[in-house]
Amino acid sequence: MHPCLQILKFQIVLCICIMLASCRGDEIVYPTIGTHVTDEVRNGGLYVLCEGNMGSNKARLDYINLHTGDYYSNWYGAMNPTQMKELGDVGNDIQQYGHRLYAVINCSHKVEVMDLSARHIAKIDISNCRYMAFKGDKMYVSAYVGSIADPDMLGSVYEVDTATLTVTREVKVGHQPDELCVVDNKLFVCNSGGYLTNRYDSTISVIDLTTFTEIEKIPVGLNPTRIRVDAQKHLWVCCQGNYVNAMPSLVILDFTHILKRITTSCSNISICGNTAYVIDNEANTLRAFSTIDFAEQPQPIDIKNYEHPYGLLATDEALYITDAKNYVSSGVLHCYGYDGHEHWRALTGDIPGHLCRVTGEYSLAPDTGSHEDVHRYLAHVYEYLPGMGQFVNELPKYEEGDDAETMCRKCEQAIANNAGGLVCLGGWGGYITFGFDHPVENKEGRDIQILANAYYMTGSTEYGSSEPGIVLVSRDANNNGMPDDTWYELKGCLYDNPQTNHTYQKTYTRSGDTIQNPFHKQPYYPQWLEEDEYTLYGAKLPSQTVKISGQTVQKILDFGYVDNKPNNDTIGSSFDISWAVDTYGQSVSLPTIDFVRVYTAVDEINDPTGEISTEISGAIDLHIE
Amino acid sequence: MNKNILLILIFALCARSVFAVSDAELDSLYNQFHIEEVEVTARALAKDVIVPQTLKGAELKRLNALSVADALRYFSGVQLKDYGGVGGIKTINVRSMGSQHTAVYYNGVQLGNAQNGQVDLGRFSLDNMEQIQLYNGQKSDIFQSAREFGAAGNVYLTTRRPYFKDKERVHVRAQMRCGSFALANPSLGFDVKLTETLALNFDAEYVYSDGRYPFRYRRVLPSGEVAYDTTAIRQNGDINAVRVEGGLHDYYSTTGFFRIHAYNYWSERGIPGAIVNNVWRNGERLWDRNNFVQAEWQDEWFNRWNTRVLAKWANDYTHYKNYDERLLPSNNEYLQQEVYFSFANKVRIFNWWDASLAYDYQYNILDRKNLLIEAVPEHFNRHSHWLSVATAMNIKEYLRLQASVLMTAVQNDKSSITNDKCKFTPGIFFSLRPYPAIDLSINAFYKQSYRYPTFNDLYYTDLGNANLRPELARQHSVEVAYRKTDKTYHIDLSASYYYNRVTDKIIAYPKGQQFRWTMLNLGTVKINGVDSKADFSFFLPLNFTLRARLNYTYQTAIDVTNPEDTYYGHQIPYIPWHSGSVVGGLDWKSKRGDHYGFNYSFIYVGKRYCQQENTVYNEVLPWYTHDLAVYAEWNIRQFWLKANFELNNMLGQDYEVIQNYPMPKQNIRCTLAFRY
C-alpha cells in the first residue's frame, strides 16, 4: 500500500477514536450539589435567589438547610426537574407568604409560585415583573411595562389573587416601578425611571388598595428603587441618584413628610427590629441606622474586602450578606452574628441578590408523585408507650412475649383503617405515634380528625368526659420513613395558659406499680418494657375536673385537644396543621405532615374513674374523600 | 448516539475499500481544483513563510456552506460563534485570542467595524468567492499595507476575478438556491471584457429565509427517565438581504494593475434572541446598509521598486429596533463612515533582500442616535495612523526571514495621542527548509499585536470607558509542514504548536452602582494549542478523485488574571479543548468533462463552558454535525451547469454553539447554477 494511504488510514482511525471518545449522550438536567457549611443548628432554612445574567437563563434558587448546615445549589432545579429550561432568566425577588414561596423571574416574565420546599405549583405571567408585596389574600407585583404602546412608558402594579393565582386588577404608576410595600390599606411604590437614562423618576406612588387607584405621588429623590417599612411605620426609601452628579440618598418619610434624608449610597436595605441596615456600595460598608431617631449606629460588620456587596437580609438571629463578585461568576453568601463575627460562608450561583428566610420544617425530598390510591384513615402505628394506668396492658391486650413492635401491631388492629377499637394512652405523658399512607396536606381549615371517646354531660356542651391529649406533628425531613424528626406541637387553647407547664416530666417505675383499682387488677406498668423505669416529657395541662351534682366531670376545652369533644363534633375533634409551633412557641408553616403523636396531657387521678387517660379510636385525613 | 458511531464506521469502511483500489497511473484530476489564481505581485517570494490555510475554487464550492462563516469552520484553530439560522450573527475567533483580534480583508482591504470591532461573516456569500485564506500571525509578504501587520489573525476573502479565454468577451452566471426554512437565494452575475486589459464584473444576490426552524430541548434525569422534551419553532429569525457589487479591473501590464470595487449590502432581519424559560419569541429587528468603494493601484519600477496605493470609503448604517412590548422600547440608529488610505512601497535591495515601508491612515465616524429620546445624534470620531517597516531575506534555499515593526497611533475625538494610544509592535518570522529536494519546512514566528478599543468599548451609554488601553496579544508559533505532489496523489500535512498570551484584555466589569457595567483592561489569558491538518487527494483509476481533509485542534486557554478569582486557571468561555473536522469526497469526471461526486463533512466541537467559571452549570455539551452534498456538473459546449444537493446536520442533532441559541436540525439546500 502507498505510504500516503497509510498515513490517511492512520488519520482516519485517529479521528474515529476522537469521535468515539467524545460522543455526547443524553443531556442530563442540572444537578444539585450539597455542601456542608456550618455545624450551627437553626430552625428552617434560607433560600438564595441568584439572578444570573440576562439571556443566560441562569436564575438559580439555592437553599441552605439551617438545621443540617448543608448548602444546596440549584435546589429548584432538583425539586422540579421537569420544568422546561429550569427556573428562568434573571431572578429578581423572592418572598414567603403563607405556605408558599413566590419568586419573580424578571426576564422570564413570570412569578413562580412554589410550596415552601420550592416545588412548582404555578406560574403567573406578568411581563417584565420586578418586585412583590402581599396583603391578605392578595399579592401586588410591580412591572416595568404596563399597557402596550404607552408613549410615556409608565409601569404598572398588578393585583394577584393568591387563591386563584390570577391577575385581578392593574393600576398604572410612574416610570419603571421597583420595590413596593404595603402599609395599612395603602401601597407605596418606588418609581425608579430606570429605563430613562438622565431622566430618572423621583416619586413614590401611593395606591389605595380598596379602589386600587393611585391617590398621590410623593417626590422623594432621584431614582428610588427600594422601599421598606419599619415598626414605627416609617418608610425607608433608597434613591440611587443619576450615577453622575446627583448623589444617592436614603430617605425616611412618614407617608407625607420627609423626616430625614441621609446622603449615602444605598444599594440594598434590610430592617430588623429597630435597626435599618444599608449597604453603602460606594464605600463598601454596611451602615446601620436606628429606626427610632435615625441616628447612625456603629457598623456591625466589616465588608471592605467585598468585591460587590449585593444581597442583604437582617434577621433576629443573623445578618446575611452576599458578595456578587464580578457578576459573571459564583458569588458568596456570608452569615454574621451581630457581634460582627462571621459564622459561615457558602459559594452561590451568579449574582446572589435575594434572600428569603423560611422557618419551620417542610418536606425537602423531591415529590415522588402518585397521590392515587390513598386512604383517609389512620394506617400505621409507629410507637405506643402509655403512662401507667388502669387500662394499660388491656387496651390493647398484653400477652406473654409481646414487645413494643407487636404492641404497635395490636394498636393498628384496634384503630387503623377505621377499625373502631380503642387504644388507651394511660397516665400523663403516655403516647402513641401514628401516620397515614400519605403525607397529610396543610390546607385551609382543619386537616385531621382524631377520634376518641369523649362525651358531653347530658344537657351540656360545657362539661363532660374530657381526657385531653396534646397533638404533635412532624415531617419526615430525613426521609427515612421513621418518626425521628422534629416534632411541632399543635397549639391548643391552653397553650398560653400560665398554668400550663411546658417542661413537665414524669418517671414511671415497675416498683411503683401499686395503686390498684379493684376493677383492674392487671399490672399497670407496660409489661412489654424490659426497663424497670421510664421517663416521659411534655406539657402538663391544668386540671379541668369539677364535681357537678355529684358527678365528676371535666370542663370541655375550647379547641386543640384529643379526647375532649365527641367524635360527632367534627370540627371540635379536628386539628389544623397551621397551629403548629416550635419549642419556642414560634409558629411554623408545614405544607404537609407525615406523623402525628398524641399524649395524655393531664396528670390527675380521680376516684372512682381512675387516672385521666387519653384514649383514641382512629384518625381521618379530612382532605381525602 | 449509536447511530452516529455506525455512520462513522460505515464511512470509514467505505473509505477503506476505496483506498484498496490499485493506484495505477491514470489521468490526473488534480488540475481541476487548481484553476487559475491571481498572483497580485510579480516576483513575490515564491513561498509563504507562514503557510496559510486555504479553501478555493471548486473545493470551496463543494463544501456544505452558505456563507464565508460556514466555510471557515473547516480551518483548524478557528472557533466560530454562530447564533443560528441564515440571519444569525457568525463571527470567528482565531487561536482563542478573541474575535476582535481577527481582521477580515475583502479583496485586500480590511473590513472595518469601528463600533464593535467584529465582522459578521455570515453576511458574505460564497457565491462569488474565489478563495478564502487564513493566516495566523500575518500574511508573510512584506509588501502589504501597514495595517495588515496589525492583527493577530487575518482572513483574506478574494472574490472572483474576471478571467477570459481567447475570444471570450462575456461571461454570464445565474444561480438559484432553495432550501429548508423557506430559503430562496437567487444570484446573477456577468463579466465583460472591455479592452484587452480592462474587464468589468458585476454580481447580485438576494437571500430570503423565514428562519422558522424547529428546535428541541430534551433533558433526562440521571435515572434515564425523560425530564422534559419540547420541540418548538424558532421565531423572528427571518432575513431579507440584497447584495450588489461590481468592479473594474485593468491589468495593464505584467507588473501593474488598477482595480476598483464597489459593494452594497442591504438587509432586514429579525433577531430571534435567547430561548429562556417562558420566552419563545423576541421582537428585535435590525436593518443594515453597508456600502463601500475601494480602489487599488500597484506597479513596479526599475525592476526592484514596487508601489501599492489603496483607498477606501465605507458607509455603514444600522438601525436597531425592539418591538417587544414587554421590554425597554428601543430604537437606535448608527451611522459609521470610514475613509482609508494606504501607501506601500517595497524595494529589492539585493536579490535576496527586500525591504518595505508603508503608511496607512484611517478616519472613522460614528453617529449614534436614540430615536426615542434624542433628536441630535451623539458623534464620535477617530483618526488612526499606521506606519510599518519590514524586511525579508532569503538565505540560499534554506532559510527565509522576515521582520516587521508596526507603529500604531490612535486619536479619539479631540483627545491627544498619549503613550497608551501609540504603540510599537514587532513581528519576526522565519522558515527553514532543510532539504531542498523535499518540501518540508519548519516555520516559526513571534508577533505582538494590539486590539484597540472600539467605539462601543469607549463610549457606549453608561458602559464605555474612555481611558481604556489597547489589549495586547503576544503570539509564539512553530509549525512543521510537509507537502508532496505526485501523479497519483497530493498530500499536504502540517502541525503547529502555539503559545499566546493576551494581556490587558478588555472586559465588561460591574461598577460600584447596581448593575452598571463598565469596560476595563482586566484580564490575562494564556493559550496553548496544537493545530494539525492533513489534506489528501488521490487520483484514482477511471477518472475518480478521492479527497480528504482533516483538521484537529487541541487548545487550552486559561484565565490567569487573579488567583483570587473562582475561575482562575479555568478555560475561558466558548473555547473547546478539542475540535476538528473531517471532509471527504469522491469525484468522477466523465470523458466529456462532466463531474459527478459527493462530499461528506463532519465537524466536531468538544465540551466547553459558556462562562468564565468551569462549573457543571456552565458546561456546554459537545456538538457534531454530519453534512452530505451530492453534485453534478455538466459542460455543454460553452455552457456549464451544476446541480448540488446538500443535507446538513443529517442526524438532526439538537445543539447549541452559543448557549440558549438553538441551531437547526436536519435541513436541505438545492442549488442549480448556470454559467456561460
Side-chain angles (χ1 to χ4, degrees):
Chain A
M1 192 184 272
H2 199 285
C4 298
L5 290 183
Q6 283 176 354
I7 294 170
L8 176 61
K9 258 177 68 184
F10 171 75
Q11 281 264 3
I12 286 177
V13 169
L14 190 78
C15 286
I16 289 168
C17 292
I18 291 165
M19 287 175 213
L20 291 182
S22 55
C23 268
R24 66 181 216 175
D26 285 323
E27 286 188 72
I28 296 173
V29 291
Y30 294 115
T32 181
I33 299 166
T35 317
H36 187 74
V37 295
T38 173
D39 290 326
E40 280 181 343
V41 178
R42 287 208 176 100
N43 185 13
L46 176 74
Y47 282 104
V48 183
L49 180 62
C50 304
E51 298 184 359
N53 277 280
M54 203 185 273
S56 71
N57 200 48
K58 283 195 196 297
R60 200 175 95 181
L61 188 59
D62 292 357
Y63 172 76
I64 172 159
N65 183 333
L66 292 170
H67 197 71
T68 61
D70 295 331
Y71 187 94
Y72 296 94
S73 60
N74 189 35
W75 180 259
Y76 178 89
M79 294 300 271
N80 305 283
T82 59
Q83 282 298 307
M84 159 82 189
K85 300 229 82 173
E86 302 82 42
L87 184 57
D89 198 25
V90 188
N92 209 63
D93 194 11
I94 183 160
Q95 289 185 40
Q96 176 191 352
Y97 190 66
H99 306 305
R100 282 171 175 172
L101 199 59
Y102 297 82
V104 172
I105 311 299
N106 179 226
C107 292
S108 286
H109 308 286
K110 67 169 186 181
V111 177
E112 175 76 18
V113 186
M114 296 160 277
D115 70 16
L116 290 183
S117 315
R119 278 192 206 95
H120 172 84
I121 294 171
K123 72 171 166 85
I124 306 161
D125 286 320
I126 295 175
S127 293
N128 212 332
C129 41
R130 298 288 297 173
Y131 289 95
M132 301 174 286
F134 295 88
K135 191 190 182 205
D137 60 351
K138 296 289 189 291
M139 165 167 69
Y140 302 97
V141 183
S142 63
Y144 268 11
V145 178
S147 306
I148 296 164
D150 173 7
D152 293 335
M153 298 191 289
L154 292 176
S156 283
V157 172
Y158 294 89
E159 180 191 73
V160 178
D161 186 317
T162 53
T164 61
L165 301 177
T166 49
V167 173
T168 44
R169 289 188 287 183
E170 177 191 350
V171 60
K172 192 166 278 189
V173 291
H175 297 102
Q176 289 81 52
D178 268 324
E179 281 197 357
L180 62 174
C181 69
V182 175
V183 183
D184 300 333
N185 198 39
K186 284 178 183 157
L187 184 65
F188 295 83
V189 186
C190 284
N191 297 313
S192 74
Y195 276 173
L196 310 169
T197 305
N198 308 330
R199 300 191 299 139
Y200 293 102
D201 205 321
S202 59
T203 59
I204 302 276
S205 287
V206 185
I207 313 292
D208 180 89
L209 290 182
T210 310
T211 60
F212 212 59
T213 50
E214 183 182 76
I215 47 181
E216 66 173 315
K217 273 201 172 97
I218 309 171
V220 285
L222 214 53
N223 198 357
T225 57
R226 298 196 184 268
I227 183 164
R228 303 291 164 89
V229 62
D230 66 19
Q232 289 74 32
K233 291 193 181 175
H234 300 132
L235 293 170
W236 294 67
V237 181
C238 298
C239 300
Q240 304 301 329
N242 64 2
Y243 307 110
V244 184
N245 47 22
M247 296 299 287
S249 59
L250 179 63
V251 180
I252 304 141
L253 60 160
D254 64 351
F255 306 171
T256 46
H257 298 94
I258 291 180
L259 302 174
K260 182 153 186 177
R261 182 184 296 274
I262 302 163
T263 302
T264 174
S265 78
C266 42
S267 63
N268 210 336
I269 180 168
S270 183
I271 298 173
C272 182
N274 287 330
T275 311
Y277 299 91
V278 176
I279 294 179
D280 178 346
N281 50 306
E282 285 296 325
N284 255 25
T285 51
L286 185 71
R287 303 177 73 169
F289 299 93
S290 160
T291 61
I292 311 287
D293 57 5
F294 317 134
E296 181 151 14
Q297 300 175 343
Q299 290 166 9
I301 56 169
D302 178 18
I303 57 167
K304 270 277 183 291
N305 58 346
Y306 281 32
E307 208 167 332
H308 284 106
Y310 197 68
L312 177 67
L313 179 69
T315 67
D316 292 333
E317 65 202 10
L319 256 174
Y320 300 95
I321 180 161
T322 69
D323 184 352
K325 297 286 179 183
N326 69 346
Y327 289 38
V328 289
S329 62
S330 299
V332 178
L333 168 65
H334 300 261
C335 172
Y336 294 88
Y338 283 95
D339 55 0
H341 175 247
E342 181 172 358
H343 290 231
W344 50 264
R345 63 176 71 177
L347 211 57
T348 67
D350 298 346
I351 318 175
H354 310 275
L355 305 168
C356 177
R357 182 76 170 89
V358 181
T359 51
E361 198 82 18
Y362 29 88
S363 169
L364 296 174
D367 197 346
T368 47
S370 181
H371 286 295
E372 291 158 23
D373 201 25
V374 293
H375 304 94
R376 61 195 310 237
Y377 297 111
L378 182 155
H380 306 292
V381 172
Y382 298 94
E383 295 166 315
Y384 171 57
L385 181 57
M388 277 168 59
Q390 56 193 346
F391 291 100
V392 173
N393 300 319
E394 286 290 338
L395 287 174
K397 182 84 182 163
Y398 169 78
E399 287 158 344
E400 197 64 45
D402 276 334
D403 58 11
E405 183 59 28
T406 56
M407 288 308 288
C408 285
R409 298 292 80 77
K410 286 185 175 180
C411 291
E412 279 180 9
Q413 282 169 17
I415 61 171
N417 300 315
N418 203 24
L422 207 61
V423 168
C424 176
L425 304 184
W428 182 89
Y431 66 88
I432 185 169
T433 305
F434 59 86
F436 298 79
D437 58 0
H438 61 277
V440 179
E441 286 184 80
N442 182 9
K443 292 186 176 172
E444 212 59 52
R446 314 272 160 124
D447 306 294
I448 311 166
Q449 185 181 15
I450 300 177
L451 305 172
N453 61 355
Y455 54 86
Y456 292 131
M457 193 182 141
T458 311
S460 166
T461 54
E462 276 187 61
Y463 295 95
S465 168
S466 165
E467 299 175 293
I470 287 177
V471 182
L472 306 176
V473 293
S474 169
R475 306 194 73 186
D476 190 10
N478 57 12
N479 228 7
N480 66 351
M482 296 303 297
D484 52 0
D485 314 87
T486 311
W487 289 99
Y488 300 101
E489 184 175 343
L490 297 190
K491 185 176 177 175
C493 59
L494 290 181
Y495 187 88
D496 292 325
N497 188 307
Q499 291 178 46
T500 299
N501 181 351
H502 287 282
T503 53
Y504 190 64
Q505 67 180 63
K506 190 167 183 182
T507 300
Y508 295 97
T509 58
R510 209 185 285 277
S511 54
D513 193 354
T514 51
I515 310 155
Q516 296 289 334
N517 179 308
F519 301 103
H520 301 283
K521 290 180 174 159
Q522 90 288 359
Y524 287 8
Y525 189 87
Q527 291 301 294
W528 59 92
L529 291 187
E530 284 173 20
E531 308 83 350
D532 289 323
E533 65 170 28
Y534 61 101
T535 304
L536 299 171
Y537 303 88
K540 182 175 79 102
L541 300 180
S543 168
Q544 304 295 324
T545 301
V546 288
K547 286 229 182 225
I548 294 179
S549 335
Q551 239 185 311
T552 303
V553 292
Q554 286 84 30
K555 188 171 190 306
I556 302 290
L557 299 171
D558 191 15
F559 71 92
Y561 300 98
V562 176
D563 204 357
N564 171 51
K565 288 188 176 180
N567 293 343
N568 58 10
D569 180 355
T570 311
I571 292 189
S573 57
S574 295
F575 300 83
D576 188 344
I577 299 168
S578 305
W579 298 340
V581 292
D582 62 18
T583 48
Y584 304 106
Q586 294 295 310
S587 186
V588 292
S589 53
L590 305 170
T592 63
I593 55 108
D594 299 285
F595 309 110
V596 182
R597 178 180 285 175
V598 178
Y599 67 89
T600 303
V602 177
D603 191 5
E604 180 184 339
I605 298 173
N606 297 309
D607 199 23
T609 50
E611 80 284 332
I612 296 252
S613 76
T614 307
E615 273 86 29
I616 87 161
S617 66
I620 300 170
D621 177 353
L622 295 172
H623 303 310
I624 309 268
E625 292 303 312
Chain B
M1 188 167 76
N2 289 336
K3 266 193 211 161
N4 301 9
I5 297 169
L6 192 66
L7 210 102
I8 293 162
L9 287 175
I10 289 170
F11 171 68
L13 289 173
C14 292
R16 270 187 78 142
S17 56
V18 171
F19 303 149
V21 175
S22 87
D23 43 329
E25 191 175 303
L26 282 153
D27 273 358
S28 162
L29 287 173
Y30 181 46
N31 289 336
Q32 184 233 316
F33 53 92
H34 272 229
I35 65 170
E36 285 76 8
E37 292 173 40
V38 186
E39 283 295 329
V40 289
T41 51
R43 282 191 227 157
L45 288 169
K47 288 272 169 58
D48 288 296
V49 174
I50 294 304
V51 184
Q53 299 185 63
T54 305
L55 276 168
K56 62 185 170 186
E59 191 184 8
L60 194 54
K61 296 280 181 285
R62 275 191 298 265
L63 290 173
N64 294 49
L66 187 66
S67 69
V68 167
D70 295 338
L72 283 165
R73 296 182 301 173
Y74 298 100
F75 286 152
S76 63
V78 168
Q79 296 311 325
L80 179 74
K81 275 196 175 179
D82 186 346
Y83 288 82
V86 177
I89 295 168
K90 295 166 179 61
T91 60
I92 64 157
N93 179 359
V94 178
R95 290 186 169 177
S96 309
M97 287 174 290
S99 47
Q100 285 147 330
H101 280 281
T102 306
V104 182
Y105 302 85
Y106 200 78
N107 287 335
V109 185
Q110 192 176 341
L111 292 165
N113 188 341
Q115 189 185 350
N116 61 25
Q118 300 194 24
V119 177
D120 180 4
L121 290 161
R123 299 182 184 190
F124 294 95
S125 165
L126 282 183
D127 285 348
N128 68 331
M129 211 54 71
E130 176 59 48
Q131 175 174 280
I132 299 173
Q133 286 180 301
L134 170 68
Y135 285 89
N136 293 116
Q138 68 195 35
K139 191 167 155 185
S140 45
D141 173 3
I142 61 161
F143 184 42
Q144 58 184 3
S145 62
R147 202 179 165 188
E148 283 171 83
F149 291 102
N154 296 286
V155 175
Y156 285 85
L157 309 178
T158 310
T159 59
R160 189 192 291 109
R161 171 190 159 184
Y163 178 80
F164 301 94
K165 288 182 191 157
D166 286 347
K167 291 175 189 166
E168 285 180 345
R169 296 206 72 80
V170 176
H171 284 161
V172 178
R173 297 177 296 279
Q175 177 176 293
M176 182 65 201
R177 182 184 285 126
C178 297
S180 304
F181 326 129
L183 174 71
N185 177 206
S187 67
L188 191 73
F190 61 82
D191 305 334
V192 183
K193 188 175 177 181
L194 300 172
T195 71
E196 265 318 296
T197 61
L198 186 67
L200 175 131
N201 73 324
F202 173 86
D203 265 287
E205 182 182 7
Y206 170 70
V207 183
Y208 171 78
S209 170
D210 66 9
R212 293 172 52 80
Y213 58 82
F215 62 92
R216 178 179 177 192
Y217 282 103
R218 181 178 184 273
R219 296 289 183 278
V220 301
L221 302 175
S223 64
E225 205 182 321
V226 174
Y228 57 82
D229 187 352
T230 304
T231 301
I233 303 283
R234 204 84 169 101
Q235 304 285 342
N236 193 37
D238 61 302
I239 178 165
N240 257 298
V242 178
R243 174 180 61 87
V244 179
E245 63 186 305
L248 265 176
H249 308 250
D250 189 4
Y251 289 82
Y252 57 81
S253 75
T254 54
T255 57
F257 67 85
F258 174 80
R259 56 188 187 191
I260 184 163
H261 193 91
Y263 178 97
N264 169 270
Y265 178 86
W266 172 92
S267 74
E268 178 193 346
R269 72 187 73 201
I271 301 174
I275 294 292
V276 299
N277 174 282
N278 212 27
V279 177
W280 298 98
R281 187 194 175 90
N282 293 283
E284 296 152 283
R285 305 289 301 173
L286 191 69
W287 292 263
D288 280 295
R289 193 188 64 219
N290 305 103
N291 293 306
F292 66 78
V293 180
Q294 63 189 42
E296 183 180 6
W297 171 70
Q298 183 177 318
D299 211 334
E300 186 179 63
W301 289 278
F302 322 119
N303 239 357
R304 60 173 63 235
W305 187 287
N306 296 70
T307 297
R308 183 185 183 210
V309 178
L310 290 176
K312 180 181 180 177
W313 170 78
N315 175 306
D316 298 321
Y317 166 82
T318 302
H319 179 194
Y320 166 87
K321 191 168 178 177
N322 195 345
Y323 279 137
D324 191 339
E325 70 269 2
R326 297 172 306 188
L327 299 174
L328 165 70
S330 54
N331 192 356
N332 298 323
E333 269 186 351
Y334 304 89
L335 180 66
Q336 290 193 64
Q337 302 212 62
E338 176 183 311
V339 176
Y340 171 70
F341 170 80
S342 168
F343 181 56
N345 290 280
K346 188 191 77 174
V347 64
R348 172 152 302 174
I349 301 166
F350 299 108
N351 266 346
W352 51 274
W353 187 15
D354 291 350
S356 78
L357 181 74
Y359 168 75
D360 290 15
Y361 165 76
Q362 184 170 290
Y363 178 58
N364 286 93
I365 301 173
L366 170 66
D367 288 310
R368 185 176 62 206
K369 193 161 155 185
N370 183 339
L371 298 179
L372 292 177
I373 55 171
E374 292 156 4
V376 184
E378 291 176 275
H379 177 89
F380 309 105
N381 63 57
R382 163 190 282 183
H383 301 270
S384 311
H385 307 266
W386 293 269
L387 184 68
S388 68
V389 181
T391 182
M393 281 180 232
N394 289 5
I395 298 166
K396 301 273 170 84
E397 294 158 333
Y398 304 112
L399 185 64
R400 282 191 289 272
L401 284 170
Q402 281 185 13
S404 60
V405 179
L406 173 70
M407 188 202 84
T408 311
V410 173
Q411 184 183 14
N412 293 307
D413 280 320
K414 283 139 202 148
S415 69
S416 58
I417 298 176
T418 61
N419 283 341
D420 281 348
K421 309 264 162 33
C422 178
K423 296 285 186 184
F424 289 89
T425 46
I428 299 167
F429 298 75
F430 82 85
S431 175
L432 181 71
R433 190 170 170 179
Y435 314 105
I438 303 171
D439 194 351
L440 172 76
S441 59
I442 298 159
N443 311 318
F445 72 84
Y446 167 78
K447 185 183 175 176
Q448 287 186 7
S449 50
Y450 280 103
R451 176 228 141 174
Y452 277 77
T454 64
F455 280 139
N456 276 1
D457 297 334
L458 296 166
Y459 308 120
Y460 200 83
T461 315
D462 298 333
L463 184 137
N465 174 3
N467 298 318
L468 285 177
R469 295 184 301 276
E471 177 178 315
L472 175 63
R474 291 189 189 89
Q475 299 185 75
H476 313 71
S477 177
V478 185
E479 179 187 42
V480 180
Y482 172 73
R483 230 186 302 199
K484 189 168 187 194
T485 304
D486 192 82
K487 276 183 193 155
T488 57
Y489 66 87
H490 166 79
I491 63 169
D492 195 338
L493 305 170
S494 80
S496 46
Y497 164 76
Y498 53 88
Y499 166 69
N500 301 337
R501 196 178 167 88
V502 183
T503 49
D504 265 353
K505 216 170 155 57
I506 297 172
I507 60 165
Y509 187 81
K511 267 196 282 199
Q513 293 109 340
Q514 288 207 307
F515 264 103
R516 317 265 307 169
W517 296 73
T518 191
M519 306 304 297
L520 287 184
N521 287 103
L522 192 77
T524 304
V525 179
K526 211 161 75 179
I527 301 151
N528 274 285
V530 175
D531 289 349
S532 64
K533 50 188 183 282
D535 263 307
F536 302 93
S537 302
F538 298 101
F539 313 114
L540 302 174
L542 305 169
N543 280 345
F544 279 100
T545 305
L546 179 72
R547 283 178 310 273
R549 186 185 171 103
L550 298 100
N551 274 301
Y552 169 73
T553 300
Y554 173 81
Q555 57 190 337
T556 60
I558 303 298
D559 191 306
V560 289
T561 308
N562 180 358
E564 302 280 296
D565 293 331
T566 49
Y567 47 86
Y568 181 80
H570 289 196
Q571 188 93 339
I572 62 171
Y574 290 114
I575 302 298
W577 280 265
H578 303 275
S579 59
S581 65
V582 178
V583 181
L586 188 66
D587 184 275
W588 179 69
K589 185 184 181 185
S590 76
K591 290 244 157 36
R592 276 187 8 191
D594 299 340
H595 285 274
Y596 301 92
F598 77 90
N599 201 65
Y600 161 83
S601 60
F602 170 82
I603 293 178
Y604 174 82
V605 173
K607 182 177 96 168
R608 60 227 186 278
Y609 290 93
C610 63
Q611 285 183 209
Q612 284 166 311
E613 216 171 4
N614 295 178
T615 68
V616 65
Y617 303 111
N618 294 332
E619 187 177 323
V620 184
L621 278 194
W623 63 268
Y624 39 90
T625 54
H626 302 268
D627 302 337
L628 188 69
V630 183
Y631 61 88
E633 287 175 28
W634 298 278
N635 284 302
I636 306 160
R637 274 171 271 171
Q638 303 99 316
F639 300 101
W640 176 91
L641 201 64
K642 180 179 175 181
N644 190 12
F645 174 81
E646 292 167 53
L647 174 58
N648 300 313
N649 194 3
M650 282 194 301
L651 302 182
Q653 186 172 84
D654 303 300
Y655 70 105
E656 290 174 336
V657 178
I658 304 296
Q659 193 154 56
N660 302 325
Y661 288 82
M663 299 292 288
K665 292 162 82 79
Q666 287 106 338
N667 61 90
I668 56 162
R669 283 196 288 264
C670 304
T671 310
L672 205 60
F674 159 87
R675 210 156 69 197
Y676 163 75

